[in-house]
Amino acid sequence: MYYLLCTMFLLVGTLTQHGLWSSGASDKNKAMVEQLQRYGVIKSTKVAEVMETIDRGLFVPPGGSPYFDSPMAIGYNATISAPHMHAACLELLEDHLQPGMRALDVGSGTGYLTACFALMVGPEGRAVGVEHIPELVASSTENIKKSAAGPQLSDGSLSIHIADGREGWPELAPYDCIHVGAAAPQIPEALIEQLKPGGRMVIPVGTVFQELKVVDKKLDGTVTVRDETSVRYVPLTSKDAQLQSN
Ligand SMILES: C[S@@+](CC[C@H](N)C(=O)[O-])C[C@H]1O[C@@H](n2cnc3c(N)ncnc32)[C@H](O)[C@@H]1O
């Protein structure tokens, strides 16, 4: 089923590149979301609305194919995750992204998911991105400014910081929701500490073989961890190690 989905996206993309498909960017973004709904990746109306509102085309570097269901290189040995992974993480985190809640996006990259989080928690909540490549922080800020989440950068309910995400962002902890966009060898203790009781973290864990883990902190502070699915992410590592890897 997944391969069929990829083929559909490639077909739409090919038609687009050859001028046989004449819809505008927002129509293509909408078509991508509808495809993810048809294949059951997106079930929630709220997630569909947010992914329709935040145009992925604003977050993929020029020359890329933003509406293909594939990760894409964004420089600095980093990628923007595939649309189905963004959708799956939003689905897993929706209950922890209610208006007024606090969300931390570790390894915020292009800023796409941080922008989605900001729309979900609204101006009375906080969406915080942490990324260790300064150039990506600068470009993600420009991407977000052009998007529907732009006003939240101005009102302060969305912020992106240059930092080592393995330490989280303690200034605004605890968080109802933590998303980690890069694979950690194990779950960083600082992130568990910064998760609010009742909160949820979604984090890829592993090196060669990786699992997307769902970490729930119960109201009494006990923590449960379960595997959601096998995944392939770039590593959550030091800036130097990332820039030297090839
Ligand atoms: C898969 S990429 C981007 C994911 C992002 N959700 C997106 O779709 O644009 C993972 C990101 O994690 C960042 N990263 C890796 N290790 C990090 C660390 N220790 N601290 C902060 N960011 C880190 C990388 O620079 C990269 O931008």
Side-chain angles (χ1 to χ4, degrees):
M1 180 65 84
Y2 174 69
Y3 290 107
L4 181 61
L5 179 63
C6 287
T7 307
M8 294 293 287
F9 274 115
L10 283 169
L11 181 62
V12 169
T14 306
L15 290 172
T16 304
Q17 282 172 346
H18 291 82
L20 301 172
W21 182 286
S22 59
S23 56
S26 69
D27 288 346
K28 290 175 201 157
N29 193 64
K30 192 171 193 303
M32 177 194 81
V33 173
E34 285 171 355
Q35 198 75 271
L36 290 167
Q37 286 179 293
R38 263 195 291 284
Y39 286 94
V41 183
I42 298 179
K43 297 177 193 74
S44 148
T45 310
K46 183 72 196 168
V47 170
E49 275 172 17
V50 166
M51 286 186 68
E52 274 185 26
T53 307
I54 300 292
D55 185 349
R56 189 177 158 86
L58 299 173
F59 293 81
V60 169
S65 306
Y67 311 108
F68 283 8
D69 192 21
S70 168
M72 260 160 231
I74 57 171
Y76 313 96
N77 291 325
T79 55
I80 178 169
S81 301
H84 75 273
M85 280 315 306
H86 283 151
C89 290
L90 287 168
E91 287 275 333
L92 286 167
L93 291 166
E94 182 184 8
D95 288 349
H96 308 273
L97 288 165
Q98 297 299 310
M101 289 187 170
R102 287 185 178 215
L104 175 65
D105 186 21
V106 172
S108 47
T110 59
Y112 174 83
L113 215 46
T114 325
C116 292
F117 291 168
L119 281 201
M120 290 175 88
V121 301
E124 64 279 28
R126 285 300 300 247
V128 181
V130 175
E131 166 60 54
H132 65 171
I133 305 289
E135 291 87 346
L136 289 179
V137 172
S139 57
S140 63
T141 304
E142 291 309 309
N143 298 339
I144 292 167
K145 272 186 201 163
K146 291 181 216 141
S147 80
Q152 292 186 246
L153 269 178
S154 315
D155 72 24
S157 59
L158 191 175
S159 55
I160 308 276
H161 307 272
I162 305 169
D164 185 339
R166 293 172 292 187
E167 302 302 324
W169 189 254
E171 286 87 333
L172 289 167
Y175 299 96
D176 300 279
C177 154
I178 299 180
H179 168 264
V180 184
Q186 59 269 321
I187 304 171
E189 200 52 47
L191 298 184
I192 295 178
E193 277 166 21
Q194 289 171 35
L195 192 61
K196 199 179 195 167
R200 170 171 284 188
M201 169 162 50
V202 170
I203 176 170
V205 177
T207 49
V208 180
F209 299 104
Q210 303 172 2
E211 290 292 331
L212 190 68
K213 305 232 178 232
V214 177
V215 181
D216 287 307
K217 190 182 267 187
K218 292 188 194 155
L219 290 175
D220 67 4
T222 56
V223 172
T224 62
V225 182
R226 71 171 168 84
D227 289 351
E228 175 69 17
T229 185
S230 297
V231 288
R232 188 92 187 109
Y233 280 74
V234 302
L236 185 74
T237 185
S238 71
K239 182 180 160 193
D240 286 349
Q242 180 174 323
L243 293 177
Q244 282 160 21
S245 71
N246 266 311

